[in-house]
Amino acid sequence: DRLEAETHVTTADELKPADRDVIREAKAELREGHNRWLRNNKIEDFYGSPIHSWRVDKILAATEPLSGQVLDVGCFVGEIAERIEAQGNKTVVGMDCLEAALKLTEARGIKTILADIDEAVVPFEDDHFDAAVAADVLTEVYDPDAVVAELARVVRPGGTLIFTVPNLACAGNRALLLTGRSPYNLEVRARRGVGHLRLFTRASFTELLEDHGLEILETSCSVFVWPIWRFSRFRRTVEYDYPRWAYSKSLARLFPTWGENVIVKARRPAR
């Protein structure tokens, strides 16, 4: 007993105050940052920018032939969910952790559920949905593997999963790294920025999905942004202030691994 007492190693849990959870504190600060953004910006300007509107167009092209129940994880204000449901033959459920955003989603007539996908729990039974959409969600979670596995669980065999993520290897980030700067939108401090804690290349992202048994149907990119706009001297306060020539669809098609985002349409294999 004396030997055990002398060799006892104090753990972090023993030192930490019992009522404090620093990870949840950081996540709460990030949620408040999103809420501030929501209060201070115009949603129509955000979704009107090429970097986002062209991404949404790609998502809608992927959902057009689908039918049945669709889960929109990280639905935010319901812009994508509303447009998916307007395609017909689909009922959309929007899921997000921001109450203020969900109120705007509900105002569009979309069913919602308040839940944090970072907990890797979607409160539905196995095989409940015909499809799921996770647009720029996996960059903001601690464990992308757990989230992908959970989304695959609630989508029926043969169902479709559509993902978008920012591209770590986009043209602007390559230029930034070459000059010793951190990649655009990669948060090195958990309580600052918009919470992009995980960034993927096209190869690493498809590898993640395939590791969970998903079949890749299509991989693409919606927009190429000229690298100069990613340097602080030229960077605007908001992306939708950039001039129209800052973006290119044709270069995104020619050099998809250099584009701003990775867009993947996948399928859960039939049993």
Side-chain angles (χ1 to χ4, degrees):
D1 293 342
R2 180 180 177 183
L3 179 61
E4 289 182 2
E6 290 176 349
T7 58
H8 174 72
V9 177
T10 303
T11 66
D13 285 340
E14 291 174 321
L15 293 173
K16 184 179 68 175
D19 60 345
R20 189 175 186 201
D21 187 328
V22 293
I23 293 178
R24 291 191 180 276
E25 287 176 9
K27 289 175 64 176
E29 289 187 30
L30 283 174
R31 279 196 296 271
E32 179 52 33
H34 282 284
N35 284 326
R36 281 195 303 272
W37 187 97
L38 195 56
R39 291 191 297 268
N40 297 331
N41 290 272
K42 295 180 179 179
I43 293 300
E44 57 270 24
D45 289 342
F46 175 77
Y47 282 107
S49 123
I51 202 168
H52 296 294
S53 65
W54 294 350
R55 175 177 61 92
V56 172
D57 288 345
K58 287 274 190 176
I59 295 170
L60 295 174
T63 59
E64 178 66 40
L66 304 180
S67 61
Q69 293 270 349
V70 179
L71 174 67
D72 183 4
V73 177
C75 65
F76 197 39
V77 298
E79 173 75 16
I80 296 173
E82 181 183 36
R83 294 176 66 180
I84 291 174
E85 198 161 89
Q87 292 175 332
N89 301 318
K90 290 178 276 290
T91 301
V92 182
V93 176
M95 174 176 159
D96 208 289
C97 63
L98 298 176
E99 292 186 59
L102 285 183
K103 289 180 181 178
L104 296 174
T105 302
E106 291 170 355
R108 298 172 184 260
I110 302 297
K111 298 177 182 178
T112 66
I113 181 165
L114 178 65
D116 186 357
I117 190 58
D118 205 10
E119 303 294 336
V121 175
V122 178
F124 291 91
E125 296 179 353
D126 294 358
D127 310 338
H128 182 85
F129 292 96
D130 297 286
V133 175
D136 285 10
V137 169
L138 291 177
T139 56
E140 302 185 20
V141 300
Y142 175 76
D143 188 353
D145 284 279
V147 173
V148 171
E150 180 68 356
L151 293 178
R153 178 188 70 80
V154 298
V155 171
R156 64 170 175 79
T160 301
L161 296 97
I162 299 163
F163 301 91
T164 74
V165 292
N167 179 18
L168 175 61
C170 68
N173 282 346
R174 295 179 192 231
L176 288 169
L177 285 168
L178 280 173
T179 56
R181 295 169 172 82
S182 292
Y184 176 72
N185 261 356
L186 174 61
E187 311 298 350
V188 295
R189 298 170 64 182
R191 298 174 188 240
R192 297 185 61 178
V194 294
H196 287 194
L197 306 177
R198 301 279 183 262
L199 288 186
F200 302 89
T201 64
R202 180 172 174 164
S204 66
F205 190 58
T206 54
E207 179 184 19
L208 167 67
L209 302 181
E210 289 173 336
D211 282 349
H212 290 276
L214 298 181
E215 177 187 351
I216 306 299
L217 301 178
E218 181 181 340
T219 306
S220 63
C221 167
S222 66
V223 61
F224 177 98
V225 177
W226 289 101
I228 190 173
W229 298 106
R230 291 313 187 200
F231 287 85
S232 57
R233 181 177 178 181
F234 302 99
R235 189 182 302 164
R236 304 293 177 86
T237 304
V238 289
E239 291 175 334
Y240 40 81
D241 276 347
Y242 295 155
R244 175 61 182 78
W245 59 264
Y247 311 94
S248 173
K249 278 186 178 180
S250 58
L251 288 176
R253 287 191 294 268
L254 287 172
F255 307 104
T257 60
W258 290 62
E260 285 294 300
N261 45 48
V262 180
I263 303 169
V264 179
K265 183 176 182 179
R267 176 168 56 206
R268 181 183 172 189
R271 290 184 180 136

